[in-house]
Amino acid sequence: MRLIAAIVVLTLIAVGAGAVAGLHLIATAERVADAKKSDTPPPIASSYAGSARLRKLSPIVTNLAAPANNWARIEASMVTDSMSDEDAGILAAHISEDIVTYLRSATVAQFEGSRGLQHLREDLTERANIRSSGKVRELIIETLVIQ
């Protein structure tokens, strides 16, 4: 009989300790959740000034140098400094012409893998930067399809 009473008392003590620990965990979790809600996330730093603007180029379709039956379609955007819409349209047309010229002199092997795409992006950004006298900060390749 004493053994059963001891087991019951120990069980009640364990249940009480578990309940107190559980209430303490719940209170701590609620405090942490409230603290995270009130914290404002740090602002995302932009590498561009407030005057930078994203301008979409019209899709470009052209054939490649080798093999002759391969075609490339590229959609891109350019990040520019502030300029008028008319100047930006003229600049976009010139940059599109440069992209066509570059793609017509390129082969499919040049675009293979992530390294090839990185080199393509760097080359096109450099050409756009030169063509615009530094007004284009970056050329972003959105899609590239080679068929």
Side-chain angles (χ1 to χ4, degrees), residues 7-79:
I7 291 175
V8 169
V9 169
L10 286 175
T11 303
L12 290 176
I13 291 173
V15 167
V20 169
L23 291 174
H24 179 67
L25 278 171
I26 289 173
T28 303
E30 287 176 352
R31 274 196 313 264
V32 169
D34 289 339
K36 285 190 177 188
K37 283 182 187 176
S38 64
D39 287 345
T40 58
I44 299 172
S46 176
S47 60
Y48 304 114
S51 64
R53 188 164 172 206
L54 183 71
R55 300 177 193 273
K56 190 165 181 63
L57 301 175
S58 57
I60 299 165
V61 179
T62 186
N63 58 332
L64 299 175
N69 59 352
N70 279 3
W71 288 80
R73 181 178 194 270
I74 189 167
E75 292 181 17
S77 297
M78 60 181 183
V79 178

Side-chain angles (χ1 to χ4, degrees), residues 107-128:
T107 63
V108 175
Q110 290 177 290
F111 307 134
E112 288 181 355
S114 59
R115 271 294 205 212
L117 290 175
Q118 181 66 25
H119 288 302
L120 172 67
R121 189 180 78 75
E122 290 171 356
D123 288 345
L124 292 180
T125 298
E126 182 179 350
R127 285 173 170 259

Side-chain angles (χ1 to χ4, degrees), residues 86-101:
E86 183 179 331
D87 291 341
I90 293 169
L91 181 61
H94 288 301
I95 290 174
S96 295
E97 289 172 5
D98 285 347
I99 292 173
V100 168
T101 304

